[in-house]
Amino acid sequence: MYFSGDPSTRKRVDLGGRSSKERDRKNLLEQTRVERNRRLWLRQQNSAALKIQKCFRGRKAVGTEQSKLREQFYKAYGKYCQNVDRNSFGPDSDFLCQFLYFFKAENIDDFLVLVQICRLLWWFVQDNGDVVKLFVGVDYSSTCALVNYRVKRFAHACIRALHQNRNQLKDQLLLTPEELNVSAIPLLEVLVLLIDPKLPWSCKIVEYLFQNNAVGLVREIILTGKDNAENYFSVGKGSSLERVLTAVICHVGQKPCICSHINPRYSFASQIITIPFLWHLFPNLQQIFAAEDLSQCYIHQMAKFGQNLINLLPKDISNEFPSYACMLGNILETAGISLSHPDRSFDMAIDLAAVTTFLLEALPSVKTSNSRERISPVNGSDCGPNDRDVTAVDAVCGFLYVTLNKLPLERIMTVLAYRTELVPTLWNFMKRCHENQKWSSYLSNDAPGWLLPLAVFCPVYKHMLMIVDNEEFYEQEKPLSLKDIRSLIVILRQVLWQLLWVNHTTSGNSVKSVPVSSAGKGQSVQAIQQRVSIVVSELLSQLQDWNNRRQFTSPSNFHADGVNDLFISQAVIENTRANEILKQAPFLIPFTSRVKIFSSQLAAVRQRHGSQAVFTRNRFRIKRDHILEDAYNQMSQLTEDNLRGLIRVTFVNEFGVEEAGIDGGGIFKDFMENITRAAFDVQYGLFKETADHLLYPNPGSGMIHEQHFQFFHFLGTLLAKAMFEGILVDIPFATFFLSKLKQKYNYLNDLPSLDPELYRHLIFLKHYRGDISELELYFVIVNNEYGEQTEEELLPGGRNLRVTNDNVITFIHLVANHRLNFQIRQQSSHFLRGFQQLIQKDWIDMFNEHELQLLISGSLDSLDVDDLRLHTNYAGGYQSEHYVIEMLWEVLKGFSLENRKKFLKFVTGCSRGPLLGFRYLEPLFCIQRASGNASEESLDRLPTSATCMNLLKLPPYTSKEQLETKLLYAINADAGFDLS
């Protein structure tokens, strides 16, 4: 049969004279090997052909027999099982045996028969209430092998049928048990009946399903149905598929479950817990998984696999939902309930830390996760936390620390902040450490027991503070009470000072790189200390902002106790540790000390440029009735260096005549005060007022001034020049605008300063309990500037995007962002460019918005008459005890605040005193006798001044009434420098 030789082949003769016996030996061996392999391949091919034929004939025979049996089955029981009764399921009946023999999941007729069988089975059980009796009959022990075989094959057939037809049934897979009229529900409900943990065969059936990867099929069924879940979820009702999982989930191989070893690759943990957002689909399953010992068992099993856990997970369903990230999110969602049991919170925390660390560190950073976590309150006794508490908190914070560094913050911060009790729990731990004087002992070393809680607590609480509204923070005191926040500020201040100054000065730069076991590989104490110092600084800065909005604690509580003259002297020097602290945590240093540092920095720059500009002074000729236009035209031509130099001003009155007086600095101060008053006047249209009469850029400034951006640049330069020269100007800015000078972002809580009514409406929406979609709101906002209304979308396509309960928080923050940031972004940007021509960002960063306003305008406390008297010199025959001087101080004390400001402007050129008091007025205020004798002519003279020298020339009036009358006339004459 296989002979391939040719009998006619003749013997080949080598005409070259060589014999065939002289062939190369290697070629002969190679040819022999090839021939042998060819014969082997032919034998294998023939053997395979025989097997295929045998298999095909066998399958064909089986198919024929199945078809015959199917026809017999239809004749005996009916195509729609109309002849089936309860006895058909018993051990003596061939009903199930025949059906399971010919059943094919891909055969639509077989599938329909299976559905009808399941309906009948479900009805029979509902009538009788005993599924065991239905299958067993009388004695289970005598028929258990047959019954178990039939039940497990039948259960597996139901799962295969659902899997095979899952795409056609995708709209039915997550329906509730009441929907028996559809095809999927009878199959699922029968599965619930057959694998009920109370049944004697339960573990045998589930073990068989695990061995045949039925759980993997269920995973694919769930993934098919979950995309349509929102279309048919019934609130408060569990789906039939959830009931199946509930019955399977308790089979963990521990008592009372008697399942033998289950391949971890096909287990419930690897196949089901890796489904994205599992608990959103099956909330009842989440409660069962977490409330009982199940989560502890599953997490302990996963922890035992160690790093190999990653290799046991199924293939990722997409790049967006890798299996390890889905498992991590589902585990963390249920951990809080499990950890709430005190008797196992410690062990759970350790296993949980191990599993999450494996999932996070063994893999690259993920792009999507929905991880959330709760940890239970640690031991609530009055004594401080014990070692078990500390270890448990350290373990949980360790993996959360890795989480915050691995996963995208925008996805997990809100979950950690609002769906867990993480913040109050960690705060209670830290507070108990502090109250029992254990916190200071933690601070004295570099143990991670206090580092890790802070590394997790601070960023999560900071995120909460960006979202909570003023009512929640101040009135409802959520999430922490104001009393607790005051204690928190003290703790954070101590921690930050310890990290930034004490540890550094006591141990230099050498910090042990001790690995922190619970935080994962590669995390040293030094790295965590650096991270903690940053997050503590950010949180304290935010708490200081809340305190500035409405004071709940003394500003001095933010100041470190160890700031002294040595520290201040070093803080001025670049690249010193004190200077770095000044940049990172300026609130640790008292405000007056920072003002001194700021003044010294300005003085150094002024001196540098003043010495260079002695012979190149810039002289402005300013008409008082056109002060803004003249100043803009002349100042805009100056270079940055010239702006830092001296500027001298000559005023021209309404008659075109130059006013008397030589500018030694006083006229320039008067010029700065007048021009700022004119430029920032709301009537000019560049700025608007809030309800509290605070200034912010006019969003509609372009409708009034064509070159409005150039004007904002000029005004920024003007304000910077005033601050650069140490001149206080009475311009009350809105806090949200001052944030722009610090290049900060404004949030919802800043909105009351701009539009209290809009803020109230947004808070109403935030707490609205009804259906917000009924309010007919869309993601658009209407701007109304000077009667012209324009509509802007808050999101692309916002005109067609309705505000609902699900997206209302996003809508609220987008509206606040539009009003506080977007509308004034261009005006603020040009103002900032002009401002930064003279004032460096590092200088401004030393102060918060409230302190920055004090730098600009000073405080009313600076108009202290007693302080002025204490720092006054006398000349021309006056002394502090002279009767004229005594009358003057009495008159000034009786002045109103407005008249005191006018007096101060009259003698110094500025209506605000030095920020730190008149001790820092240069030169000191001086009162000089204007006439050598008290003649009638001299007494008729008015007081005059030399503002460049802060000098008051006061005639020797004889009565207090005369002095008050003359002084009031002088300071209110508003005659410029022509008054004599």
Side-chain angles (χ1 to χ4, degrees):
M1 175 178 180
Y2 295 103
F3 179 78
S4 61
D6 185 1
S8 64
T9 302
R10 296 181 179 180
K11 184 178 181 181
R12 295 181 180 180
V13 178
D14 189 351
L15 300 178
R18 290 177 298 174
S19 172
S20 60
K21 296 181 180 179
E22 298 178 2
R23 288 177 182 172
D24 186 19
R25 183 172 179 273
K26 291 184 178 180
N27 291 338
L28 179 62
L29 293 175
E30 177 64 17
Q31 184 179 358
T32 303
R33 186 187 66 78
V34 171
E35 287 294 326
R36 183 169 60 249
N37 289 341
R38 188 179 65 83
R39 290 192 298 273
L40 176 62
W41 181 80
L42 288 173
R43 287 195 298 271
Q44 291 175 342
Q45 189 179 43
N46 183 54
S47 176
L50 291 174
K51 290 180 179 178
I52 292 173
Q53 292 172 6
K54 182 179 179 180
C55 181
F56 176 77
R57 287 193 294 270
R59 292 287 181 135
K60 186 176 180 180
V62 169
T64 302
E65 290 299 316
Q66 287 177 333
S67 297
K68 292 179 180 179
L69 190 58
R70 184 180 288 110
E71 293 300 323
Q72 296 176 13
F73 179 88
Y74 288 161
K75 290 179 181 179
Y77 300 102
K79 190 170 183 178
Y80 301 103
C81 300
Q82 57 267 33
N83 300 328
V84 175
D85 58 16
R86 63 174 52 257
N87 296 323
S88 302
F89 295 90
D92 300 326
S93 173
D94 292 331
F95 171 73
L96 281 182
C97 182
Q98 292 181 13
F99 175 78
L100 292 174
Y101 180 78
F102 69 76
F103 172 76
K104 291 182 180 180
E106 60 274 13
N107 187 308
I108 186 62
D109 291 330
D110 291 354
F111 173 77
L112 294 176
V113 171
L114 177 61
V115 172
Q116 186 60 25
I117 292 173
C118 290
R119 282 199 183 100
L120 291 171
L121 178 58
W122 188 86
W123 287 335
F124 290 152
V125 173
Q126 294 301 310
D127 289 340
N128 185 281
D130 190 353
V131 66
V132 176
K133 186 176 180 180
L134 193 66
F135 281 91
V136 173
V138 180
D139 185 14
Y140 174 71
S141 59
S142 62
T143 60
C144 63
L146 175 63
V147 171
N148 290 349
Y149 178 79
R150 287 184 176 179
V151 172
K152 66 186 182 184
R153 287 283 308 278
F154 188 75
H156 193 245
C158 291
I159 294 177
R160 288 192 295 115
L162 287 166
H163 179 264
Q164 179 67 34
N165 299 279
R166 63 189 185 279
N167 291 322
Q168 291 79 13
L169 302 174
K170 61 183 179 180
D171 293 330
Q172 307 174 15
L173 294 175
L174 295 178
L175 292 177
T176 56
E178 292 81 4
E179 306 292 338
L180 274 176
N181 56 318
V182 300
S183 299
I185 299 305
L187 302 179
L188 292 170
E189 284 303 306
V190 164
L191 280 173
V192 174
L193 291 175
L194 297 182
I195 60 178
D196 187 341
K198 299 177 183 178
L199 301 180
W201 58 62
S202 176
C203 288
K204 295 290 184 182
I205 306 305
V206 174
E207 183 179 343
Y208 176 85
L209 296 178
F210 278 130
Q211 291 172 351
N212 289 272
N213 194 27
V215 181
L217 301 182
V218 173
R219 169 186 169 84
E220 295 183 18
I221 293 171
I222 296 172
L223 292 175
T224 302
K226 81 179 192 69
D227 294 334
N228 300 303
E230 66 272 12
N231 296 333
Y232 44 78
F233 259 161
S234 299
V235 179
K237 297 182 179 180
S239 65
S240 294
L241 188 52
E242 185 178 35
R243 284 160 48 81
V244 174
L245 295 176
T246 302
V248 174
I249 197 173
C250 62
H251 292 271
V252 292
Q254 298 185 15
K255 293 182 179 180
C257 173
I258 58 172
C259 293
S260 59
H261 175 72
I262 299 171
N263 188 333
R265 191 178 299 277
Y266 305 125
S267 67
F268 187 93
S270 61
Q271 295 293 334
I272 303 301
I273 299 183
T274 52
I275 294 175
F277 310 112
L278 177 67
W279 312 127
H280 293 210
L281 293 173
F282 309 122
N284 298 327
L285 182 67
Q286 178 188 14
Q287 297 300 318
I288 295 173
F289 179 81
E292 301 177 5
D293 291 336
L294 296 177
S295 59
Q296 184 174 7
C297 296
Y298 277 105
I299 292 173
H300 182 65
Q301 290 177 359
M302 286 184 268
K304 289 194 299 184
F305 293 123
Q307 297 287 356
N308 194 44
L309 174 64
I310 307 302
N311 302 323
L312 302 175
L313 303 183
K315 182 180 178 181
D316 298 342
I317 61 174
S318 68
N319 293 332
E320 186 181 6
F321 297 108
S323 295
Y324 58 82
C326 297
M327 173 175 275
L328 176 65
N330 292 327
I331 289 173
L332 294 181
E333 281 194 60
T334 59
I337 303 174
S338 301
L339 288 173
S340 62
H341 297 277
D343 58 332
R344 62 173 187 266
S345 61
F346 174 80
D347 296 329
M348 274 289 294
I350 300 301
D351 287 338
L352 200 56
V355 172
T356 51
T357 302
F358 295 147
L359 293 172
L360 286 170
E361 293 200 332
L363 299 162
S365 299
V366 302
K367 296 181 179 179
T368 302
S369 178
N370 192 23
S371 59
R372 50 173 107 162
E373 169 56 10
R374 292 181 185 177
I375 64 172
S376 67
V378 290
N379 188 348
S381 59
D382 291 336
C383 61
N386 55 37
D387 292 339
R388 286 174 59 86
D389 293 337
V390 174
T391 306
V393 171
D394 178 49
V396 175
C397 290
F399 78 75
L400 283 177
Y401 176 76
V402 177
T403 302
L404 296 177
N405 286 289
K406 283 281 185 176
L407 301 180
L409 291 181
E410 68 276 4
R411 288 298 187 93
I412 63 173
M413 272 300 183
T414 301
V415 174
L416 287 173
Y418 285 98
R419 300 183 187 176
T420 75
E421 298 298 321
L422 183 67
V423 166
T425 300
L426 286 181
W427 163 241
N428 287 332
F429 171 77
M430 294 188 295
K431 181 169 66 171
R432 288 173 52 230
C433 290
H434 180 68
E435 291 173 349
N436 291 278
Q437 299 181 349
K438 286 193 173 184
W439 198 255
S440 58
S441 64
Y442 290 148
L443 291 177
S444 62
N445 56 65
D446 49 15
W450 65 272
L451 282 173
L452 291 173
L454 285 170
V456 173
F457 172 85
C458 291
V460 177
Y461 186 42
K462 175 176 175 285
H463 182 79
M464 295 185 78
L465 291 180
M466 290 191 298
I467 300 177
V468 298
D469 55 64
N470 293 336
E471 182 181 1
E472 290 172 328
F473 185 88
Y474 296 110
E475 308 300 337
Q476 301 176 11
E477 300 190 8
K478 293 180 179 180
L480 300 180
S481 68
L482 296 180
K483 179 181 178 181
D484 281 344
I485 294 176
R486 286 190 283 269
S487 300
L488 174 63
I489 291 171
V490 173
I491 293 175
L492 295 182
R493 184 195 70 204
Q494 293 175 353
V495 167
L496 191 58
W497 185 250
Q498 183 83 19
L499 288 173
L500 296 180
W501 183 254
V502 177
N503 286 357
H504 178 80
T505 55
T506 56
S507 60
N509 292 321
S510 60
V511 179
K512 297 178 183 178
S513 295
V514 182
V516 182
S517 59
S518 61
K521 302 175 292 184
Q523 296 294 342
S524 67
V525 170
Q526 184 178 12
I528 300 179
Q529 280 184 345
Q530 183 177 3
R531 176 62 183 163
V532 169
S533 69
I534 293 173
V535 296
V536 171
S537 298
E538 292 174 346
L539 178 56
L540 275 174
S541 178
Q542 196 161 17
L543 288 172
Q544 190 183 44
D545 290 342
W546 281 95
N547 195 50
N548 289 334
R549 290 191 191 103
R550 189 188 303 177
Q551 186 169 315
F552 56 85
T553 188
S554 172
S556 62
N557 285 339
F558 291 91
H559 303 158
D561 298 329
V563 177
N564 50 28
D565 292 338
L566 174 63
F567 181 91
I568 299 300
S569 64
Q570 294 184 14
V572 185
I573 306 172
E574 287 288 333
N575 300 322
T576 61
R577 188 62 181 170
N579 183 259
E580 292 299 320
I581 294 174
L582 178 65
K583 294 178 180 179
Q584 179 177 336
F587 45 79
L588 291 176
I589 305 165
F591 175 60
T592 54
S593 299
R594 281 179 280 133
V595 173
K596 292 176 184 177
I597 295 172
F598 176 68
S599 300
S600 65
Q601 291 170 328
L602 291 179
V605 177
R606 285 199 303 268
Q607 184 178 10
R608 214 164 39 241
H609 286 81
S611 61
Q612 299 171 0
V614 171
F615 303 106
T616 57
R617 289 180 176 175
N618 302 289
R619 297 190 175 276
F620 290 177
R621 194 170 185 271
I622 304 294
K623 295 190 290 291
R624 283 193 180 271
D625 52 353
H626 293 85
I627 186 171
L628 184 57
E629 294 79 1
D630 288 354
Y632 172 76
N633 292 330
Q634 297 178 59
M635 189 174 285
S636 298
Q637 298 176 8
L638 299 183
T639 64
E640 194 169 308
D641 284 340
N642 285 337
L643 284 171
R644 291 194 177 96
L646 297 175
I647 296 177
R648 293 295 175 248
V649 175
T650 299
F651 278 117
V652 177
N653 62 22
E654 64 271 22
F655 304 109
V657 179
E658 290 187 359
E659 295 181 1
I662 299 175
D663 188 4
I667 299 179
F668 177 72
K669 286 192 289 184
D670 179 68
F671 158 74
M672 290 299 295
E673 184 156 320
N674 282 292
I675 191 176
T676 51
R677 186 188 301 115
F680 290 96
D681 192 329
V682 294
Q683 298 298 324
Y684 198 69
L686 292 175
F687 276 79
K688 296 181 74 173
E689 274 187 340
T690 68
D692 297 326
H693 305 291
L694 303 177
L695 298 175
Y696 68 97
N698 181 5
S701 57
M703 302 174 67
I704 299 178
H705 299 281
E706 185 177 348
Q707 297 182 328
H708 61 127
F709 289 149
Q710 291 88 333
F711 276 113
F712 276 108
H713 186 281
F714 164 67
L715 293 184
T717 305
L718 194 66
L719 179 64
K721 181 63 175 175
M723 295 182 66
F724 187 81
E725 298 294 343
I727 300 173
L728 298 176
V729 290
D730 192 7
I731 308 174
F733 288 113
T735 304
F736 66 88
F737 173 62
L738 291 173
S739 297
K740 297 305 176 184
L741 296 184
K742 293 173 60 62
Q743 301 181 34
K744 285 173 59 177
Y745 188 86
N746 292 306
Y747 294 94
L748 174 64
N749 303 302
D750 300 300
L751 187 59
S753 63
L754 171 62
D755 193 337
E757 184 177 0
L758 176 61
Y759 176 79
R760 286 194 298 271
H761 291 164
L762 294 179
I763 296 303
F764 169 79
L765 286 179
K766 181 178 179 180
H767 299 288
Y768 187 68
R769 298 302 180 189
D771 186 358
I772 292 181
S773 62
E774 296 178 353
L775 301 179
E776 290 290 333
L777 297 174
Y778 293 86
F779 276 78
V780 294
I781 192 167
V782 177
N783 300 318
N784 189 350
E785 299 295 340
Y786 300 104
E788 182 177 331
Q789 288 191 348
T790 57
E791 189 179 79
E792 290 189 54
E793 292 185 332
L794 298 173
L795 287 175
R799 288 183 175 86
N800 301 316
L801 182 59
R802 181 177 292 189
V803 180
T804 66
N805 294 74
D806 294 330
N807 59 26
V808 65
I809 298 298
T810 302
F811 173 77
I812 289 171
H813 287 277
L814 285 175
V815 171
N817 171 66
H818 182 84
R819 293 297 191 204
L820 294 169
N821 300 299
F822 184 79
Q823 273 194 319
I824 61 172
R825 71 192 187 285
Q826 291 182 304
Q827 290 89 338
S828 300
S829 176
H830 284 82
F831 190 94
L832 181 62
R833 290 175 195 171
F835 185 78
Q836 289 184 340
Q837 282 188 298
L838 293 175
I839 304 297
Q840 299 178 16
K841 183 178 183 297
D842 289 346
W843 299 346
I844 292 301
D845 286 343
M846 289 192 294
F847 307 97
N848 60 42
E849 289 81 355
H850 176 71
E851 294 167 342
L852 187 54
Q853 183 63 59
L854 291 178
L855 283 181
I856 294 171
S857 301
S859 169
L860 295 180
D861 296 337
S862 62
L863 295 177
D864 186 352
V865 175
D866 291 332
D867 182 52
L868 178 61
R869 182 174 186 176
L870 191 62
H871 300 96
T872 298
N873 294 328
Y874 303 95
Y878 281 151
Q879 298 89 27
S880 60
E881 297 83 7
H882 195 281
Y883 76 95
V884 176
I885 300 300
E886 294 285 354
M887 287 192 300
L888 174 65
W889 295 125
E890 291 179 13
V891 168
L892 289 178
K893 281 190 175 183
F895 274 1
S896 65
L897 178 61
E898 188 63 30
N899 282 333
R900 289 186 189 181
K901 291 169 66 175
K902 290 180 178 180
F903 171 78
L904 198 58
K905 177 176 174 59
F906 179 73
V907 297
T908 67
C910 181
S911 61
R912 298 289 181 113
L915 190 59
L916 301 180
F918 289 102
R919 175 184 177 185
Y920 294 91
L921 184 66
E922 294 183 5
L924 288 179
F925 178 51
C926 181
I927 304 174
Q928 178 181 322
R929 186 165 178 160
S931 176
N933 53 58
S935 63
E936 184 175 344
E937 181 181 353
S938 63
L939 294 178
D940 284 338
R941 297 179 58 185
L942 293 172
T944 57
S945 64
T947 54
C948 57
M949 301 171 60
N950 299 325
L951 177 66
L952 173 65
K953 300 175 183 178
L954 184 65
Y957 300 115
T958 57
S959 69
K960 178 180 175 181
E961 291 74 14
Q962 185 184 29
L963 188 152
E964 182 176 2
T965 302
K966 295 288 186 180
L967 187 59
L968 282 173
Y969 185 88
I971 64 177
N972 286 285
D974 207 16
F977 290 87
D978 285 334
L979 182 66
S980 61

